[in-house]
Amino acid sequence: MTAAPTVPSTARTAPTTGRRRPILRTAVAAAVGAGLLVALAPAAVARPAAGPAAAGCGGPHGSAAVRAGAVATPEGRADWEAADAALAGMTDPGYATSALAAVRQDGRVVWRNATGVAELATGAPADPRGSFRIGSATKPFVATTLLQLVGEHRLDLDDRLECLLPGVVPNSTAITVRQLLNHTSGVADYTQDQAFDFRRPQWLDGGRFRHYGLQDLVDIANRYPSAFPPGQDWQYSNTNYILIGMIIEKLTGHSWNEEVTRRIIRPLGLTGTRMPGDSPLLPGRYAHGYYKADTGPVDVTLFNPSMAGPSGAGVSTTADLTAFLDALLGGRLLRPAELAAMQQTTANGEGRSYGLGLQRLDTPCGSFWGHAGGIPGYSTMMLGSADGRREFAANATVYDAPDDAANAAWNKVIETALCGARPADAGTDLARTAP
């Protein structure tokens, strides 16, 4: 890829790159890009002209000390100042229209900030408390719900899919629940179908509001051959989690959305988190997501999330995602046996850092567990330490830029927030670390 271009404030009609990107990324090439990820990293965006900085704000984005809703504790001030600068490094060069991030330490949010704008048309600043689409960061919620059912002896991880959903996909007699959770099933990914190419006019002009039932998505996947015999390799497939959602519904008699809400969202008081069905709306304050068309930015914020379902329909906030990881890794949502199983990674191919709905990311300051996600306009990362003491979550409204430049900026956000203001390890590319 070429270096990131400098995008002037008036560059709202730049041509597209011509690259075909599926609406939901079909494979995980990097931890940042795992699943339902439109683009591996945020890319250059047409930005409104910057207005004069408010007194004491230190620039058009402000700082954690002055932005409404921002948080920064006195301890580790240098680390939070570095984190502020890293976050601005996503939006100042134009890699994203907005970027939000937060860190939770020992149960409390110690840093939270936002840079960029919530909407190009108005130039309103992004809100640190704002909601966003989390894409495949939905998967840990769904995996946790299923593992609770395992802990209740409603099913076993080595149960065959055929026993739960007879004839639902080819090879169902050889596929286990565990293989669905860790992407070693070989089931074809439905997102490879052109119906999920968000650059196509058919999607932008109305296809994005189409309803999909879970069986509809599985039927689309079944048009394509299996990637490999069950258990013989690893390949990220969003269809695996559609099937997990169907299993949850069969065992509980409730929709997967209702069960995740009943078991996780409501008990943890995650007031900014939703698992929507068909509603295209986002709650409260939120930053808009955009696609770069020949005519300029196209707002892709609104669409029917049933196209993602249990593989990526969730909506949340940085505070809620860190609270969820705090509870999960702290042992409050699963029994020790199921939590340990969740962190047991596969031995196959690129899946050697992927467990049961959790990815491991190795950083200069240790290993963290979480998941990345993306869906049109939005890219998310959430990570927590294995002991449940430190959690990080971030979201950027992506646009269009060369991967290398955007990855470097995203790496900086992740590493600075998790590890503090320390010299970067030149040998670690967090945005390209394969799960």
Side-chain angles (χ1 to χ4, degrees):
M1 303 297 295
T2 58
T6 300
V7 183
S9 61
T10 56
R12 293 198 176 193
T13 57
T16 64
T17 62
R19 293 173 292 174
R20 181 191 182 279
R21 289 180 182 172
I23 193 169
L24 309 175
R25 186 179 173 93
T26 59
V28 179
V32 165
L36 289 172
L37 186 54
V38 175
L40 173 63
V45 64
R47 291 177 292 157
C57 290
H61 298 298
S63 69
V66 296
R67 288 188 53 75
V71 173
T73 59
E75 61 271 22
R77 183 174 299 279
D79 288 343
W80 306 138
E81 290 175 352
D84 289 340
L87 200 63
M90 292 292 293
T91 53
D92 284 353
Y95 303 147
T97 54
S98 69
L100 322 175
V103 171
R104 184 179 296 269
Q105 181 75 33
D106 295 327
R108 66 181 181 129
V109 174
V110 294
W111 173 75
R112 181 177 63 198
N113 200 7
T115 62
V117 298
E119 187 176 7
L120 290 176
T122 65
D127 192 322
R129 300 160 297 189
S131 61
F132 46 84
R133 300 191 186 277
I134 66 174
S136 273
T138 304
K139 287 182 171 70
F141 287 85
V142 175
T144 300
T145 298
L146 188 80
L147 287 166
Q148 286 186 353
L149 294 171
V150 171
E152 294 164 11
H153 307 292
R154 308 280 290 277
L155 78 163
D156 188 87
L157 287 172
D158 295 318
D159 283 349
R160 301 288 168 170
L161 180 58
E162 178 69 13
C163 300
L164 295 160
L165 303 171
V168 67
V169 294
N171 299 325
S172 60
T173 57
I175 294 171
T176 67
V177 172
R178 190 190 307 272
Q179 290 167 346
L180 295 175
L181 286 166
N182 67 15
H183 299 293
T184 59
S185 70
V187 172
D189 191 341
Y190 75 90
T191 68
Q192 66 189 286
D193 193 88
Q194 67 174 0
F196 303 99
D197 180 0
F198 83 107
R199 292 175 177 268
R200 296 176 73 238
Q202 293 92 328
W203 187 82
L204 291 168
D205 294 341
R208 57 173 154 164
F209 297 110
R210 175 181 170 180
H211 165 78
Y212 291 93
L214 300 187
Q215 187 63 57
D216 296 331
L217 299 176
V218 173
D219 289 344
I220 293 171
N222 284 341
R223 298 173 189 168
Y224 299 91
S226 301
F228 49 81
Q232 298 302 304
D233 204 345
W234 185 91
Q235 181 171 299
Y236 196 89
S237 173
N238 292 292
T239 312
N240 287 321
Y241 277 73
I242 302 301
L243 294 166
I244 292 296
M246 294 172 72
I247 292 171
I248 290 171
E249 295 188 354
K250 180 169 184 177
L251 293 177
T252 66
H254 304 130
S255 72
W256 72 270
N257 324 59
E258 293 170 333
E259 205 65 17
V260 171
T261 300
R262 184 177 74 86
R263 290 171 173 268
I264 299 173
I265 296 173
R266 195 174 297 130
L268 294 182
L270 306 181
T271 57
T273 301
R274 307 282 190 279
M275 295 293 157
D278 286 298
S279 174
L281 303 178
L282 291 176
R285 303 178 182 89
Y286 57 87
H288 289 239
Y290 297 93
Y291 157 62
K292 185 179 181 182
D294 290 330
T295 55
V298 176
D299 193 320
V300 294
T301 306
L302 301 182
F303 54 83
N304 189 325
S306 68
M307 70 176 188
S311 67
V315 173
S316 193
T317 65
T318 57
D320 275 10
L321 290 180
T322 58
F324 165 66
L325 283 179
D326 177 68
L328 175 62
L329 298 172
R332 303 202 309 274
L333 292 176
L334 293 174
R335 299 188 317 170
E338 282 70 55
L339 182 57
M342 203 175 194
Q343 295 170 299
Q344 183 178 348
T345 60
T346 78
N348 297 322
E350 293 182 343
R352 286 173 298 208
S353 295
Y354 201 98
L356 306 185
L358 281 183
Q359 300 167 249
R360 188 188 72 241
L361 185 63
D362 299 320
T363 78
C365 57
S367 295
F368 292 82
W369 291 90
H371 213 287
I375 203 160
Y378 299 87
S379 182
T380 298
M381 174 63 89
M382 64 173 183
L383 293 163
S385 59
D387 62 6
R389 293 193 59 198
R390 187 176 181 89
E391 297 80 32
F392 159 81
N395 178 269
T397 48
V398 300
Y399 195 67
D400 190 36
D403 285 347
D404 289 345
N407 282 346
W410 196 235
N411 285 342
K412 188 71 173 177
V413 173
I414 297 169
E415 183 173 326
T416 305
L418 289 175
C419 304
R422 52 182 287 164
D425 181 346
T428 301
D429 185 351
L430 302 181
R432 293 189 181 277
T433 303

